[in-house]
Amino acid sequence: MSPRRTETGGRIDRLRTIRFTFDGAPYTGHAGDTLASALLANGVTLFGRSFKYHRPRGLLAAGVEEPNALVTVLRGEVREPNIPATMVEIYDGLVAVSQNRSPSLAWDIGALNQLGGKLLSAGFYYKTFMGPVIGPLKGTRFWMFCEHFIRRAAGLGRAGTAPDTSRYERMNAFCDVLVVGSGPAGLMAAKAAADQGGRVILAELEAKFGGSANWSGETIDGAPAADWAGRVVGQLEGNDNVRLLPRTTVWGYYDGNTLAALERVTDHKEVPAKGEPRQRYWAIRAKTVVLATGSFERPLVFPGNDRPGVMLAHAAERYANEYGVLPGERIALFTNNDSAYRSAVALKKAGAAVVAVIDVRSDVSNEMSRLASQAEAELLAGHAVVATEGGRTLAGLKVQRFELTSGALSGDERSIHADCLLMSGGRSPTIHLASQAGAKAMWNPARQAFLPPQPTQRWIGAGAFTGSFSTAEAIAEGRSAGLQAAGGSPSSAPLPVVEAAPGEPDPAPVFEIKAKGKSFVDFQHDVTAEDVRLAHREGFVSVEHLKRYTTLGMATDQGKNSNVPGLAIMAEALGKPIPEVGTTRFRPPYTAVSIGSLAAERFGDLKPERLTPMHDWHVANGATMYAAGLWYRPMIYGLAGETVEQAYVREAAATRESAGIVDVSTLGKIAVQGPDAAEFLDRVYTNMFSTLAVGKARYGLMLREDGLAFDDGTTWRLGEQDFLMTTTTANAGKVMQHLEYFLDVIWPELKVTVTSVTDEWAGAAIGGPKARAILAACVNATAVDNATLPFMGIVHGEIAGVPVMICRLSFSGEMAFEVYSGAGYGTRVWEALIEAGKPFGLVTYGLEALGTMRIEKGHVTGAEIDGRTTARDLHLDWMLSKKKPFIGSAMMDREGLIAPDRLELVGVIALDNRALNGGGHIVEELDEENPHDSIGHITACCYSPALGKYIALALVKGGKARHGTRAFVSDPLRNRFGPVEIVSNHFYDPDGSRLHG
Amino acid sequence: MLINCPYCGPRDVIEFTYQGDGNRKRPQPASQDLDAWNAYVYDRLNPAGDHNEIWQHSGGCRAHLRVVRNTVTHEILSTAFARGGHKSAGHKAGGNQ
Ligand SMILES: [Zn+2]
């Protein structure tokens, strides 16, 4: 038997034993345990070290708000840090480790920080790391020097470096009523809404539905509340209109009643079922939301309130009643309200000795006194805890008389021996989602809490969320909210009858006991009450500044525990009432959300891919595929033992020697059709298209509205009103949107339609001295001689019985043809071309050789049309028509765009016969150690088989004027410095004799 | 945010592409008035409140819509085809602007 496990009771399955490890030590627990409850049952009290002072910390809470017991869960190489142990369901083989300790949890070197407590007070980081203003370590350098150590010393869990191999999913859901939270209020709301026939989603962040019903010890309709909850859940399960989402945290409330939720589908499983994602991101659109998110119990702020063994009273009640675990054997309670008395009785019933109830109020009701007697606890009314003792466990505490209105302590300290101290500082409704949804929370002086604002979106609150802390109220409000949300009318039918311990909901307005010692407000960020006051003394008077300076409430728990006590202390320091100090607005996410769940199908095996019609052929024939956006394109068709450079050099050389063929199906293709198609093209291209003859193609350039170059490509006139525009692969979508925008918004009078036909056509470009002969060998129904198919001419024919369209144009600088066929016949035509090419030495080539040949020719692509260059910069000013306005024509001649020192396209040759790299800079002076005054940069580079040299295209100041001059390439990141010659971008066959054949 | 496409009905904002301030006026194509071009290309209203915007239903019918959206509340007051004519629709009462 575990030391702390009760003999009976709890909602765990005692027949099922689960084995797991924590910090390498083996432990067992039961099905239904969290890591926190299982370790507590094993007598573990030390769960972590605090953020700044490395103080030993134990469990404070039992739920999602836990600030101390953060662990890292390991699955193979993948680490997930900073998960509250209270939210980890144990499974066989679970491996969890503690955080922020070195070398081990029990012996921590960083705990020495405690000795230098003053050093790490509020604003410590700001003050210290401004650094000296002079000297070698001035300013930023000093910060960088210190940062290395601080990053190791302070901070929470360490993220892993192994790739996350899990799969994530995204779901869109729609419902009439989304109920957030499944305590008695949420269950009643879901039931009432479902009974009205509404489509209901019930989301519960824990594994089990029922919320406080699972541990309150109350009875509903004569049965234990947990059984009642189980029955309601059973009814909901049987209703087809209801979707139950356990382990689902609704973490964001956005415009239009759209909520974001994270379902932890398999985090609690040893092995996920086939196809199950790890987590599922839900985007839920709800007509109405019922917020039944409950409340958090608040800690009290007093010296030593962070010692392991000091816990929230509700949490202890929950450990005892839900998990059958006693957090201590001799328990004392410290409270400012009635609810702790019920906790005292519950723990007594579960088998603990309750030694004392210390109440800040001197005036305690008879009913509460009776509960204290029932728990056999000494009642110390008008007292407060002023210190705790112990190390890794609690040994005892000290109390003194306390005067409620003045906060004064008096009389002798009295020691009480206890191994567990429970605090109850009132309750804060969990208003995070309501706050995200809009308006500001309202301070309620009776409840000493911020209550939800008036809804600005379509939500209704119910239960503890609204400040109604009793189960009877929760049930009534839940039903009413559910009915209202589903459009039903109020019901007068009898409500389930609750039997609960007596008690008033309003606490005494006491947040802090001022006595000597560190009193923690924010446990996770180690912010003390004194830190808050210090910040105030240093002039931080706005709550937002105070928060940032002290980092109060800025840890991963976002101040779920610390928010209100922190504000109360600030308010006191400022001498203002709490509502005037104001509360900070809660922002999404409510709890940590994995990046994987946000990326969902956009990452990993569900990411879409675009494959050309000939994709399988490329793969089967040795192509190394390269991801270009969503497309996959052959990079090289490497032979055994070839490097990438050897492969592309061979492919490019063979193309120039005989012939080569490349898949160009990825080029964007847009059908531009209609009576005004030619006029439209005249407006969008810088050059004329209305003068283009049917059956001819023309190279075109588009500018953006601001006069910078946008995209280029050829457009083919297939008929009087029928054009086929091609775009670069990368810009296909952008060009389409650009055309649609102008047709729809600017020139709706033009009778033109544009249709994306990229996927309708398979394209193969075949070029080289033997290209025409290869075509002649396989094309039927048309001639391909120079008269029939001149440069930029188009013919229709057949290859292997498939209708094809052939245009004679060239990107490689060789005589070349683009052969287009229906996408479904792409491979058939491709194979026929390959077959016909065999006697002529035809090679297949990939993107690398394509790039090499275009660099040799000095053609521009997206690397040069980079959003900063003009047509002139790229020596394309011959394409700027003076006969007509076009998009960008009015703006392209602005002063800055025609300045003489602009970067212009040039060619660069490495004079040291070493490879150049994209991004390398061109400098004028031979100063490798201290390269300076860049005159431009390299945009594309290759080894040129035609020139037998390493060459590059570059954008360089002065451009043409530098042709024939020498400079240096400077690429310090790659340790590359060397002499280059600046030349024309037309390296190869500048007069174009080869492409005319 | 839901945008009520007059053709497709209410759709999630993820299906739409923002295409800029709908108050911009493009000068006549042949205009040489650089100030007017400058205003069209670079000047944007940035109101806290109702704003005329152009959105393309890029993940749907691909029509461009004139949308009146409150930039503070993200409420969509009206939507209509940018090229005019046909239906217009908003989430609540309020006409085509
Ligand atoms: Zn649409």
Side-chain angles (χ1 to χ4, degrees):
Chain A
M1 188 90 247
S2 312
R4 291 284 174 80
R5 190 76 80 177
T6 58
E7 295 291 330
T8 56
R11 301 188 179 278
I12 46 165
D13 181 355
R14 287 169 190 262
L15 298 177
R16 272 198 59 207
T17 296
I18 289 172
R19 285 161 216 288
F20 65 96
T21 69
F22 177 64
D23 278 345
Y27 292 96
T28 61
H30 294 298
D33 262 327
T34 62
L35 181 61
S37 69
L39 287 173
L40 196 60
N42 281 283
V44 174
T45 53
L46 180 59
F47 278 74
R49 289 276 172 176
S50 75
F51 183 64
K52 265 196 313 205
Y53 304 116
H54 286 240
R55 285 166 72 102
R57 290 279 167 82
L59 289 166
L60 179 75
V64 67
E65 76 273 31
E66 172 59 36
N68 292 333
L70 303 184
V71 300
T72 298
V73 172
L74 307 174
R75 286 208 187 233
E77 292 294 301
V78 179
R79 326 167 45 94
E80 184 168 28
N82 303 336
I83 317 175
T86 50
M87 296 303 286
V88 178
E89 293 173 62
I90 58 167
Y91 52 84
D92 275 313
L94 166 71
V95 179
V97 293
S98 62
Q99 303 182 161
N100 202 30
R101 75 317 191 241
S102 168
S104 75
L105 192 49
W107 302 106
D108 183 286
I109 294 168
L112 293 172
N113 280 352
Q114 289 181 67
L115 304 175
K118 281 274 181 278
L119 261 182
L120 293 170
S121 56
F124 166 72
Y125 296 102
Y126 295 103
K127 287 170 189 163
T128 308
F129 301 112
M130 296 295 285
V133 278
I134 50 162
L137 285 178
K138 71 174 185 192
T140 313
R141 268 173 203 260
F142 181 70
W143 163 246
M144 288 167 74
F145 167 77
C146 298
E147 191 190 17
H148 173 73
F149 298 99
I150 295 167
R151 288 261 180 252
R152 288 187 51 174
L156 302 166
R158 180 167 58 84
T161 50
D164 183 356
T165 50
S166 306
R167 202 163 65 73
Y168 298 86
E169 272 181 12
R170 194 164 50 144
M171 285 282 279
N172 284 298
F174 302 84
C175 61
D176 296 308
V177 184
L178 167 66
V179 181
V180 187
S182 74
L187 287 178
M188 282 304 286
K191 178 79 170 57
D195 289 347
Q196 293 291 309
R199 284 186 304 168
V200 176
I201 294 176
L202 175 61
E204 166 57 54
L205 62 79
E206 303 234 7
K208 211 176 325 178
F209 292 99
S212 65
N214 289 323
W215 52 266
S216 66
E218 295 169 346
T219 65
I220 301 178
D221 279 347
D227 296 352
W228 172 83
R231 222 169 40 234
V232 177
V233 173
Q235 289 163 357
L236 292 171
E237 268 169 354
N239 189 327
D240 289 343
N241 288 337
V242 179
R243 185 196 286 276
L244 295 176
L245 293 176
R247 301 184 180 89
T248 302
T249 308
V250 178
W251 56 260
Y253 198 138
Y254 296 95
D255 304 313
N257 254 28
T258 306
L259 292 96
L262 180 72
E263 182 186 3
R264 298 177 303 280
V265 183
T266 60
D267 281 354
H268 63 293
K269 294 185 177 180
E270 186 183 359
V271 184
K274 190 169 189 298
E276 265 184 332
R278 176 179 172 230
Q279 294 178 343
R280 191 176 282 131
Y281 165 71
W282 288 84
I284 303 171
R285 290 186 181 283
K287 283 191 184 143
T288 309
V289 178
V290 174
L291 293 175
T293 47
S295 65
F296 291 124
E297 193 172 30
R298 297 194 292 247
L300 287 159
V301 180
F302 58 90
N305 64 343
D306 67 325
R307 204 177 294 288
V310 183
M311 187 183 278
L312 293 167
H314 285 172
E317 216 176 329
R318 188 170 170 198
Y319 283 117
N321 285 344
E322 189 169 343
Y323 303 107
V325 181
L326 288 177
E329 285 161 31
R330 288 177 57 82
I331 296 175
L333 293 98
F334 181 26
T335 186
N336 67 0
N337 70 91
D338 285 359
S339 79
Y341 292 81
R342 181 188 81 176
S343 307
V345 173
L347 289 155
K348 174 70 190 170
K349 256 191 212 161
V354 181
V355 292
V357 177
I358 301 131
D359 196 323
V360 294
R361 305 170 297 180
S362 50
D363 202 8
V364 173
S365 70
N366 292 335
E367 278 172 320
M368 292 308 108
S369 301
R370 264 199 301 280
L371 290 179
S373 326
Q374 206 183 321
E376 294 176 29
E378 181 186 0
L379 175 56
L380 289 161
H383 277 72
V385 178
V386 294
T388 64
E389 291 161 343
R392 276 173 258 157
T393 56
L394 187 75
L397 49 114
K398 287 183 175 159
V399 301
Q400 259 185 302
R401 286 210 154 274
F402 179 77
E403 215 283 306
L404 187 66
T405 43
S406 67
L409 295 162
S410 61
D412 291 337
E413 286 184 359
R414 178 182 151 192
S415 291
I416 294 176
H417 171 53
D419 63 354
C420 177
L421 171 61
L422 305 181
M423 345 176 236
S424 181
R427 293 160 78 169
S428 295
T430 313
I431 56 172
H432 299 63
L433 291 176
S435 173
Q436 288 178 23
K440 262 189 156 176
M442 295 292 293
W443 178 253
N444 182 301
R447 290 283 190 279
Q448 290 286 298
F450 284 101
L451 298 191
Q454 281 304 306
T456 48
Q457 295 211 45
R458 294 182 305 282
W459 59 261
I460 305 166
F465 163 83
T466 67
S468 304
F469 295 146
S470 78
T471 303
E473 288 170 297
I475 280 177
E477 289 184 10
R479 183 174 77 179
S480 152
L483 286 171
Q484 194 193 332
S489 40
S491 166
S492 56
L495 284 158
V497 179
V498 180
E499 274 179 68
E504 294 301 319
D506 296 338
V510 172
F511 296 92
E512 184 196 358
I513 309 303
K514 284 186 200 158
K516 195 171 154 19
K518 278 196 165 58
S519 305
F520 285 87
V521 184
D522 184 327
F523 292 79
Q524 204 178 101
H525 260 172
D526 258 7
V527 180
T528 65
E530 192 46 37
D531 287 333
V532 176
R533 281 188 282 272
L534 175 65
H536 169 253
R537 285 200 299 277
E538 291 181 356
F540 290 85
V541 292
S542 138
V543 59
E544 292 294 342
H545 292 164
L546 253 160
K547 183 178 138 180
R548 280 157 184 77
Y549 190 58
T550 58
T551 72
L552 174 76
M554 292 174 70
T556 64
D557 66 353
Q558 288 190 13
K560 290 184 176 66
N561 302 293
S562 62
N563 193 274
V564 171
L567 272 173
I569 294 166
M570 290 181 196
E572 201 205 354
L574 291 164
K576 283 185 186 170
I578 290 173
E580 279 182 37
V581 175
T583 181
T584 55
R585 183 159 164 187
F586 294 104
R587 297 179 198 286
Y590 172 65
T591 55
V593 174
S594 62
I595 302 287
S597 72
L598 299 177
E601 81 286 352
R602 285 163 282 200
F603 178 78
D605 59 346
L606 290 173
K607 195 187 83 181
E609 342 181 282
R610 298 183 78 181
L611 307 179
T612 76
M614 291 83 96
H615 179 86
D616 291 347
W617 190 96
H618 302 318
V619 173
N621 286 275
T624 303
M625 301 304 285
Y626 177 87
L630 297 179
W631 284 108
Y632 284 83
R633 305 183 68 180
M635 180 172 77
I636 50 164
Y637 299 82
L639 302 177
E642 261 184 342
T643 65
V644 172
E645 185 175 294
Q646 286 167 342
Y648 80 71
V649 165
R650 173 182 51 76
E651 290 170 6
T655 300
R656 298 221 189 278
E657 175 65 30
S658 48
I661 185 168
V662 61
D663 184 348
V664 293
S665 306
T666 62
L667 286 180
K669 294 175 278 294
I670 299 170
V672 181
Q673 294 160 313
D676 295 324
E679 166 67 19
F680 179 56
L681 292 176
D682 278 351
R683 296 188 193 186
V684 299
Y685 276 123
T686 63
N687 46 342
M688 292 292 252
F689 277 79
S690 51
T691 54
L692 182 66
V694 172
K696 294 283 274 184
R698 182 167 286 170
Y699 175 59
L701 174 70
M702 291 183 203
L703 306 187
R704 312 190 310 202
E705 285 275 36
D706 62 5
L708 295 171
F710 175 37
D711 198 59
D712 65 346
T714 56
T715 285
W716 310 8
R717 191 165 201 170
L718 304 178
E720 199 56 42
Q721 304 183 3
D722 184 6
F723 293 83
L724 178 66
M725 171 189 285
T726 68
T727 74
T728 57
T729 299
N731 273 342
K734 272 199 254 172
V735 171
M736 184 69 187
Q737 258 180 343
H738 179 74
L739 302 182
E740 286 172 326
Y741 179 82
F742 278 89
L743 285 175
D744 228 12
V745 180
I746 309 290
W747 301 315
E749 70 281 4
L750 289 185
K751 291 189 175 66
V752 180
T753 64
V754 289
T755 312
S756 169
V757 293
T758 302
D759 292 329
E760 316 304 318
W761 295 99
I766 181 166
K770 305 281 172 60
R772 196 202 297 271
I774 295 168
L775 283 188
C778 65
V779 175
N780 295 316
T782 179
V784 293
D785 59 274
N786 199 45
T788 318
L789 188 50
F791 185 58
M792 288 298 195
I794 300 165
V795 295
H796 294 266
E798 255 182 44
I799 294 178
V802 178
V804 295
M805 192 158 66
I806 303 171
C807 180
R808 185 176 148 199
L809 50 82
S810 177
F811 195 55
S812 59
E814 300 300 320
M815 169 168 298
F817 305 85
E818 284 189 5
V819 180
Y820 278 18
S821 64
Y825 293 98
T827 304
R828 185 159 161 183
V829 170
W830 177 268
E831 285 178 335
L833 286 165
I834 299 281
E835 194 56 35
K838 274 186 183 160
F840 299 95
L842 176 72
V843 295
T844 50
Y845 68 92
L847 274 187
E848 291 291 334
L850 180 84
T852 297
M853 288 186 278
R854 78 98 183 170
I855 293 169
E856 288 175 339
K857 282 297 292 178
H859 289 315
V860 295
T861 64
E864 293 79 31
I865 303 182
D866 64 357
R868 295 174 291 185
T869 46
T870 65
R872 281 187 192 81
D873 297 340
L874 303 174
H875 312 310
L876 296 174
D877 32 332
W878 59 274
M879 298 181 72
L880 304 174
S881 170
K882 292 193 173 58
K883 297 190 186 122
K884 51 144 194 168
F886 48 86
I887 294 171
S889 59
M891 298 290 271
M892 68 183 186
D893 291 330
R894 284 177 296 157
E895 198 179 341
L897 299 185
I898 55 173
D901 61 344
R902 288 186 62 78
L903 302 183
E904 285 177 32
L905 182 66
V906 297
V908 168
I909 297 172
L911 296 177
D912 55 4
N913 206 26
R914 289 167 61 204
L916 299 164
N917 287 297
H921 278 262
I922 308 296
V923 296
E924 289 177 293
E925 285 187 46
L926 174 60
D927 186 356
E928 182 168 0
E929 286 309 302
N930 184 25
H932 52 92
D933 296 337
S934 166
I935 55 167
H937 59 270
I938 290 173
T939 57
C941 53
C942 67
Y943 178 79
S944 163
L947 278 71
K949 290 170 181 167
Y950 285 100
I951 63 169
L953 293 176
L955 293 166
V956 169
K957 268 184 209 170
K960 276 181 183 163
R962 290 185 190 269
H963 286 182
T965 66
R966 296 205 169 181
F968 301 91
V969 64
S970 169
D971 192 1
L973 286 176
R974 301 182 186 90
N975 280 323
R976 173 80 173 91
F977 192 93
V980 296
E981 183 181 359
I982 296 173
V983 297
S984 159
N985 55 308
H986 302 295
F987 290 98
Y988 179 70
D989 188 28
D991 54 4
S993 59
R994 295 183 67 90
L995 71 108
H996 293 290
Chain B
M1 207 163 86
L2 285 182
I3 295 179
N4 199 352
C5 173
Y7 191 74
C8 307
R11 297 299 180 97
D12 192 281
V13 68
I14 204 170
E15 294 184 10
F16 294 82
T17 308
Y18 184 56
Q19 293 289 31
D21 186 339
N23 300 293
R24 290 180 296 156
K25 291 270 176 293
R26 193 174 196 271
Q28 285 303 307
S31 163
Q32 292 297 316
D33 180 349
L34 253 192
D35 288 343
W37 280 106
N38 221 49
Y40 165 67
V41 173
Y42 294 112
D43 292 355
R44 300 286 184 275
L45 293 182
N46 185 22
D50 293 355
H51 189 31
N52 296 307
E53 300 176 336
I54 305 284
W55 288 79
Q56 185 187 19
H57 194 187
S58 46
C61 64
R62 295 196 68 89
H64 288 78
L65 310 178
R66 287 196 178 277
V67 174
V68 181
R69 182 178 70 100
N70 187 301
T71 58
V72 178
T73 64
H74 301 305
E75 187 184 358
I76 307 282
L77 298 150
S78 72
T79 55
F81 287 126
R83 50 166 62 225
H86 307 297
K87 295 177 282 181
S88 73
H91 285 302
K92 45 187 270 182
N96 178 11
Q97 292 196 28

